[in-house]
Amino acid sequence: MGGRDAYGQDVYEQDVYEQDVYEQGTGSQAGRGQDTDTYGQAGHGQGTPAQVEFAQGTPAQGTPAQGTPAQVELAQGAPAQDVSADAGASRLAGRRRWVVAIAVVAAVLAASGVGASAFVKSPAEAAAAAEAPPPDVLTAPVERRVLKDTLIVRGTVKATQVVDVSPGESGDTAGRAVVTRVVKNAGDAVGAGDILLEVSGRPVFALPGALPVYRDLRPGTRGPDVEQLQKALRGFGHSTAPDRPGTFGTGTGTALTAFYGKRGHEPRPAHEDGAEALKTARQAVTDAERQAEDTAAAVTRATRATGAADTGSAGDPKGAADGESIAELRTAAARAAQDLTAARADLADEQGRQGPLLPASEVVYATGFPARVESLTADVGSAVSGGVMRLSSGELVVEAHVPESQVGLLKVGQGAEVHSELDQRPVPAGISFVGDAPARERKAGADSEGLETRGGSPGYPVRITAKRPLADALSGREVRVTVAAARSKGEVLAVPVTALVSDPDGSTAVSVLRADGRRDRVEVRTGMEADGLVEVTPVNPADPVDSAGRDSRGGRDVRGGLDDGDRVVIGIRPSGDEGPAGEAP
C-alpha cells in the first residue's frame, strides 16, 4: 500500500515506532479536534512542527521539517500518501475487532451451555441416581490350619529375688552409720563373696543363701542360719571342721576369719571385753595347775617321810598321826586336780566365746549369682537410714496378674511367648506358677513413680518363666505375653465366625460362593473357636455338579462339600465400598 521512503520503510503501514499512523496517529483523531503524537496519544495541538502541520493540513511556516524522512514527507504532504487507502485500512481494522469480539462472546455462551447441561437432569436420570447401588457379596477364604486360642496378658520382668540392703550398725558397737565407700554401682553385676559397699569402714558382703539375715552370728550360736553360713564358707574353700552343722564353734570361727582376711578385712571380735576375760580364764588355769602340783608334791613328801605306817607298831600314836596327815593331803590333791579341770574347761569356753563375729549389717544373702544392683540411693558420706541399695538375683521372670474370668484358662506348663521392644523375636516361655487366690488388694493412691493407681485386687498372680535367659536390660520393664490357652489337634477347616448361619431347625451352615457365581448351602458341625475363626466339618458328603461329577474349577466334586480355598459368604456391602469386589477388606 503506497511507496517506501528513502530508508525503505512502509510509509502507510507504520511510523518509526512501528505504530499504525491511521489508527493511533493524528489522521484518525483530527476529526475530533485532537492531536495525537507519534505514540498514539492525544497531544492537543502539540508535537513536532511536522506533526502539527500534518494535523492542521498546512505546512509549518518557518520551521524545518523534523523526524525521519518518511515523517518529513508525510508532514510536507509528499505524494506518497493515499487518503482513500488510509480510510479503507481503518475500516478493515474495525471490522476485525468486531469479528474477534463476536467470537469471544460465542465461546463464552457455548461454555455456559455445557456447564449448565452438567447440572440439569431429566426425571428419569434423577430417579436412577437416587436408587441404591446393587449389593456386592463379601467373602472370605476357607483355611486349613491349626487353631490357637491366644490369651494376651501384660506383665513386668522381675528377678526371682529382690533384696534391700540396709547396712545399719549392729552388734555391740552401735553408732552413726556413714557410707565410706561404694564398690558396686547401679547396673553392676555382683558375684558371690563380693563387697557391695563399706559403711563406717566395715564391709558389706553378698553371700549365697535363701534365708534372709536376721541376727548377728557369734561362737556358740546354733541354728539354720549358722548352717547356711558354714555352707557358704566351705564354698569359698574354708573348712568349718570340727564344728557340727548348725553350730558356730572354733572351726567356723577360723573359716570366717580366713574369709575376711582374703578380702582385706578383719572380723570383729564376738565380745569387746574378750581379751580381759580370756586373760582371767588363763590365769585361773595357771593357778589351778600350781595348786594341783603343790598338793600332789606334799602327798609324795609325806609318804616318803613317814615309814611308821609300814614299820611302826600299831600302838604308836605318832604313826597314826602321820597316816591321817597323808590322807588329808591326798584329799587336797584330788580337789586341786578337779579345780584344774574346771579352769581348763572355762578357758576353753572363753576361747570359744571370744571368736569372730558376723554382724547382720555386714552380710546380705542372695539365691543366685551373678546378681544385679537394681538401684543405689546413697553416696560416699551419706548417713545410712534404711535401705541404700536394691539387689536382685536369680533368673528374670515375668510377673503378671489375670482376672478371674481368665485364670481358668491357664495352667502350669502351658506354652507362652514373651514380646518386648528390646528383642525383635519373641522369647519362648512357659507358665511356671498360677495363683489359687487373688493378690492382696492395693490401696488407691500413687505408686513408687508417682503415678495414680486404682484400688482393689490386681487379679490372680501368674509367673511366666522364659526358656532362654531374658536380657538384663528388661529388668523392671513391662512386656507382653501371649499364652496358647487352647490348640486344635492338627490342621482343621476354619472359616470366620461371621460366615455361620443358624437355621430355625437348629442346624448350622455356610454359604459357599462357587466360581460360576452360584451359592451352595453347606451344612456344617462347628468345633473349636479361636481368634475370630471357627472349626467346621461338612455334615454331608459332596454331591456331583453334573453327570460327570465335575464343575467349572477342574473336576472337583464340590456341591454340598467344603474344602480349603473355597470362599464363604460373610456379608454384603454396597459395590461402591473400598476393597476388591467379592473379598473381605
Side-chain angles (χ1 to χ4, degrees):
M1 294 174 55
R4 296 179 179 271
D5 62 5
Y7 295 92
Q9 296 179 340
D10 190 344
V11 177
Y12 306 105
E13 295 293 329
Q14 54 187 9
D15 62 3
V16 72
Y17 299 99
E18 296 183 356
Q19 295 178 336
D20 191 344
V21 177
Y22 306 106
E23 295 186 27
Q24 300 177 358
T26 57
S28 63
Q29 307 227 358
R32 293 196 291 262
Q34 294 180 351
D35 296 326
T36 304
D37 63 5
T38 56
Y39 295 91
Q41 298 177 343
H44 302 286
Q46 298 179 2
T48 62
Q51 292 171 329
V52 172
E53 184 179 349
F54 177 77
Q56 296 176 351
T58 60
Q61 299 295 330
T63 303
Q66 298 179 4
T68 65
Q71 291 175 326
V72 172
E73 256 183 26
L74 183 62
Q76 293 178 351
Q81 297 189 39
D82 189 344
V83 176
S84 62
D86 184 19
S90 178
R91 288 193 298 273
L92 178 61
R95 285 195 295 272
R96 288 176 180 172
R97 286 196 294 271
W98 276 106
V99 171
V100 172
I102 293 171
V104 171
V105 171
V108 171
L109 292 177
S112 300
V114 172
S117 64
F119 297 96
V120 178
K121 295 182 179 181
S122 66
E125 291 176 332
E131 293 180 356
D136 185 23
V137 174
L138 189 64
T139 64
V142 180
E143 300 180 63
R144 186 174 294 276
R145 55 180 292 180
V146 176
L147 289 183
K148 296 179 181 179
D149 189 6
T150 303
L151 177 65
I152 300 176
V153 297
R154 302 199 69 86
T156 304
V157 178
K158 297 181 179 180
T160 52
Q161 183 189 32
V162 178
V163 181
D164 288 324
V165 181
S166 304
E169 289 288 339
S170 65
D172 299 331
T173 58
R176 184 170 179 267
V178 178
V179 176
T180 55
R181 182 187 176 199
V182 174
V183 181
K184 299 293 184 180
N185 289 286
D188 289 350
V190 179
D194 285 354
I195 297 176
L196 301 175
L197 69 162
E198 292 182 1
V199 177
S200 301
R202 299 301 304 170
V204 179
F205 297 106
L207 298 181
L211 187 64
V213 61
Y214 63 94
R215 62 174 178 171
D216 298 341
L217 298 182
R218 65 187 75 223
T221 308
R222 293 178 175 84
D225 51 345
V226 175
E227 185 174 0
Q228 179 174 263
L229 171 62
Q230 291 172 328
K231 183 179 179 180
L233 292 172
R234 289 194 298 269
F236 297 121
H238 306 296
S239 174
T240 59
D243 295 349
R244 299 180 62 183
T247 300
F248 196 134
T250 57
T252 303
T254 301
L256 184 61
T257 301
F259 172 80
Y260 268 81
K262 280 196 171 184
R263 286 154 182 80
H265 289 271
E266 292 183 0
R268 287 179 178 176
H271 302 281
E272 293 298 327
D273 61 348
E276 187 65 27
L278 189 60
K279 181 179 178 180
T280 301
R282 286 173 177 167
Q283 185 62 47
V285 170
T286 300
D287 293 343
E289 289 175 342
R290 291 174 179 175
Q291 183 66 27
E293 291 174 355
D294 291 345
T295 55
V299 170
T300 301
R301 288 193 301 269
T303 301
R304 291 176 180 176
T306 58
D310 298 327
T311 59
S313 61
D316 189 352
K318 183 178 180 180
D322 290 341
E324 292 175 358
S325 176
I326 291 174
E328 292 175 357
L329 291 174
R330 288 176 176 171
T331 300
R335 291 174 178 173
Q338 292 175 353
D339 292 342
L340 177 59
T341 300
R344 287 174 175 172
D346 291 342
L347 176 61
D349 290 343
E350 189 62 33
Q351 287 176 332
R353 194 177 73 88
Q354 294 302 321
L357 171 73
L358 179 62
S361 61
E362 295 185 10
V363 64
V364 59
Y365 290 100
T367 55
F369 289 93
R372 295 167 297 277
V373 178
E374 294 291 333
S375 62
L376 177 66
T377 59
D379 297 323
V380 174
S382 301
V384 175
S385 177
V388 298
M389 179 183 289
R390 174 164 289 186
L391 197 67
S392 63
S393 68
E395 62 180 339
L396 293 176
V397 298
V398 180
E399 298 283 351
H401 294 84
V402 298
E404 185 177 2
S405 60
Q406 294 180 343
V407 70
L409 300 175
L410 303 178
K411 61 181 179 180
V412 174
Q414 274 181 310
E417 288 182 342
V418 179
H419 303 260
S420 70
E421 297 178 354
L422 299 182
D423 199 336
Q424 299 297 328
R425 296 178 302 171
V427 179
I431 305 295
S432 57
F433 171 78
V434 179
D436 56 2
R440 289 182 300 176
E441 293 189 1
R442 55 190 177 192
K443 296 181 180 179
D447 60 10
S448 59
E449 298 180 356
L451 300 177
E452 290 294 327
T453 59
R454 296 182 178 180
S457 173
Y460 287 74
V462 178
R463 182 181 301 122
I464 299 95
T465 303
K467 295 184 179 179
R468 60 179 173 87
L470 295 174
D472 290 343
L474 286 176
S475 181
R477 291 179 176 266
E478 189 176 79
V479 295
R480 180 169 55 91
V481 180
T482 57
V483 183
R487 181 187 179 98
S488 63
K489 295 181 179 179
E491 293 184 343
V492 297
L493 284 180
V495 299
V497 175
T498 53
L500 299 180
V501 178
S502 297
D503 290 340
D505 60 359
S507 62
T508 302
V510 295
S511 179
V512 182
L513 181 65
R514 303 302 183 186
D516 57 3
R518 74 178 189 280
R519 299 186 199 176
D520 284 345
R521 178 187 179 280
V522 179
E523 185 177 352
V524 295
R525 288 189 298 268
T526 59
M528 174 183 171
E529 181 178 338
D531 297 334
L533 299 176
V534 60
E535 176 187 356
V536 293
T537 303
V539 174
N540 300 317
D543 296 329
V545 174
D546 53 28
S547 58
R550 298 179 180 274
D551 73 344
S552 60
R553 291 182 296 171
R556 284 200 302 139
D557 225 353
V558 296
R559 175 163 294 180
L562 192 66
D563 201 357
D564 182 20
D566 287 338
R567 303 198 69 85
V568 291
V569 177
I570 59 175
I572 60 174
R573 66 173 177 211
S575 60
D577 285 359
E578 296 182 358
E583 295 185 6

